[in-house]
Amino acid sequence: MHVIVVGAGISGLSTAWAMTKRGHRVTLLERDVLPNPLAASGDQHRITRRAYRQRGYATRMTESFAAWNELWADLGREHMARVGVSSVSLKQGDRGQDYAEGLAAVGFSFETLRADAAIKRYPFLNPEHVREVYYSREGGALLCQRIAVDMAAWLQAKNVAIRTHAVVEAIDTEGASVTLRSGETLSADSVVVTAGAWASVLFPDLASTLVSHRTGVIFLEPPSDLRTAWSRAPAMAGLGVEGYVLPPVDGTQLKFGASFTRIPWHPDEPFEFDRSTALKVREVFAPLFARIGEYRIVGTRRCVYTFTEDLHFFAERRGATWIVSACSGHGYKFGTAVGRRVADALETGDDRTLVEWLAARD
């Protein structure tokens, strides 16, 4: 089987990886460079975790962890910092506690630290507000740029055709062909669209379902006396504030992301992430981290993502074309598992199983 994959983010790379391992021919198209600087693959690191409000995704992480381990074996090295993941509760019933209860509900273990023990282990926390910290040994940080570079090298070594700056203008969903901006037409047995925020550009009728957004993150240098503590810190999500944190691991920088930066946006429309917005992101974390004003902002990064209304992933088959979107900024941690599931669907023609697995409503 010959498959054209449109979009070389983690889902596209993983689909190409899974199909290549099964002996199929793959052409991988990327509209920008690889990794795309506006996509998740262009980031330094992303969280991988078990804790989820959508409990179907918490259970699917078992398959995801296994798929990442399969990839590490193929690459011959691991691009994951296994530092674990913490959520933090600032008050009864907040998101931090909600994440912990989600883990408990599906039977996964975690450690609970009351305020004093939490501050002792993580001295950067704010003792005035922290109520409890929950720590899971599973997960940590995926090193995105390194993953993308090594996956591309692996694919090229397996004779996969990777074409960058290949902007797709039209897709014949029944005929399994794509037309590039250059006017060139490519044909295959199937087309898989894993184009992230550009999916609704290629399929305008999905614009109300797959809504593209812009967002941004900041990189910081903590106070000198807290650097060692941060170098030993876990990834942090499910916090008493609307944000998430990646620690400075394996040569990466401390990263803060805040949900208020998410704005509906056309992915091809330029935008800036100015210093005033960066400072507002930092201030989101004032209740969580002591001495927040002493954290020096050393960089920013712009991103574009696709979101669905209910924050569940999306898949749809149209003739010989499969549209796959891992939504809401959570797709990276499931990327390798998504690739294997898409390969299953391509080989069997079973789109229903793929749609249900991605939606994770059970």
Side-chain angles (χ1 to χ4, degrees):
M1 182 189 306
H2 178 205
V3 178
I4 295 173
V5 179
V6 179
I10 190 58
S11 294
L13 287 166
S14 296
T15 298
W17 163 69
M19 289 298 287
T20 299
K21 290 189 67 170
R22 301 177 189 203
H24 301 289
R25 178 185 168 203
V26 179
T27 299
L28 181 59
L29 306 177
E30 170 54 49
R31 64 180 292 113
D32 205 291
V33 297
L34 201 170
N36 187 324
L38 284 176
S41 295
D43 205 349
Q44 292 184 17
H45 49 354
R46 302 298 301 268
I47 292 175
T48 181
R49 69 175 192 265
R50 174 78 70 177
Y52 259 93
R53 280 181 164 179
Q54 298 97 326
R55 293 173 185 176
Y57 287 121
T59 57
R60 278 158 175 73
M61 281 304 301
T62 299
E63 184 173 333
S64 181
F65 287 138
W68 282 109
N69 287 336
E70 181 184 347
L71 177 66
W72 307 143
D74 286 346
L75 297 182
R77 54 182 167 179
E78 181 171 312
H79 296 307
M80 176 178 171
R82 297 179 182 268
V83 295
V85 181
S86 283
S87 56
V88 181
S89 174
L90 302 183
K91 61 183 180 180
Q92 187 77 28
D94 65 8
R95 180 172 292 186
Q97 185 178 5
D98 188 34
Y99 272 44
E101 290 175 353
L103 280 176
V106 291
F108 295 107
S109 63
F110 59 92
E111 180 184 5
T112 299
L113 299 173
R114 297 293 296 174
D116 289 348
I119 300 301
K120 184 176 181 180
R121 184 181 299 184
Y122 308 122
F124 45 77
L125 292 174
N126 189 339
E128 295 182 12
H129 297 291
V130 170
R131 188 180 72 89
E132 287 183 335
V133 171
Y134 315 100
Y135 174 71
S136 170
R137 294 182 182 276
E138 290 187 292
L142 292 165
L143 308 175
C144 309
Q145 294 170 0
R146 300 175 206 181
I147 291 169
V149 169
D150 273 9
M151 289 187 79
W154 186 92
L155 291 168
Q156 288 173 324
K158 302 293 183 181
N159 298 315
V160 171
I162 301 178
R163 297 181 57 174
T164 57
H165 302 290
V167 179
V168 174
E169 293 281 14
I171 298 176
D172 178 352
T173 57
E174 297 293 333
S177 67
V178 304
T179 300
L180 304 181
R181 183 169 292 174
S182 64
E184 181 181 4
T185 297
L186 305 175
S187 297
D189 299 301
S190 297
V191 174
V192 178
V193 179
T194 56
W198 288 272
S200 59
V201 176
L202 292 169
F203 298 97
D205 61 302
L206 291 177
S208 61
T209 301
L210 302 175
V211 183
S212 62
H213 289 69
R214 73 178 199 185
T215 186
V217 299
I218 63 174
F219 300 100
L220 306 104
E221 183 178 294
S224 59
D225 60 310
L226 295 176
R227 288 176 190 167
T228 298
W230 271 114
S231 71
R232 300 170 179 168
M236 305 179 77
L239 306 176
V241 299
E242 291 289 329
Y244 64 93
V245 175
L246 271 297
V249 293
D250 200 9
T252 62
Q253 297 170 297
L254 175 62
K255 182 174 80 172
F256 289 0
S259 60
F260 83 85
T261 64
R262 192 181 85 196
I263 301 171
W265 201 258
H266 191 287
D268 289 326
E269 185 72 22
F271 68 96
E272 297 299 324
F273 193 75
D274 58 30
R275 180 164 177 79
S276 65
T277 304
L279 288 170
K280 290 176 184 176
V281 171
R282 188 181 67 176
E283 288 308 307
V284 165
F285 295 87
L288 193 65
F289 303 132
R291 301 160 54 194
I292 197 68
E294 297 179 40
Y295 286 68
R296 187 168 66 91
I297 298 171
V298 294
T300 63
R301 182 177 178 273
R302 296 169 298 147
C303 326
V304 289
Y305 298 115
T306 294
F307 287 80
T308 57
E309 185 176 2
D310 62 2
L311 304 184
H312 284 265
F313 296 0
F314 172 90
E316 181 179 297
R317 182 179 182 179
R318 298 186 179 185
T321 298
W322 308 69
I323 307 164
V324 178
S325 182
C327 303
S328 314
H330 298 306
Y332 205 92
K333 61 181 70 63
F334 293 97
T336 45
V338 169
R340 298 198 309 186
R341 286 284 180 162
V342 172
D344 289 345
L346 287 167
E347 289 188 327
T348 64
D350 181 2
D351 54 319
R352 180 176 177 179
T353 297
L354 175 63
V355 169
E356 290 178 352
W357 187 87
L358 281 169
R361 299 186 188 282
D362 53 335

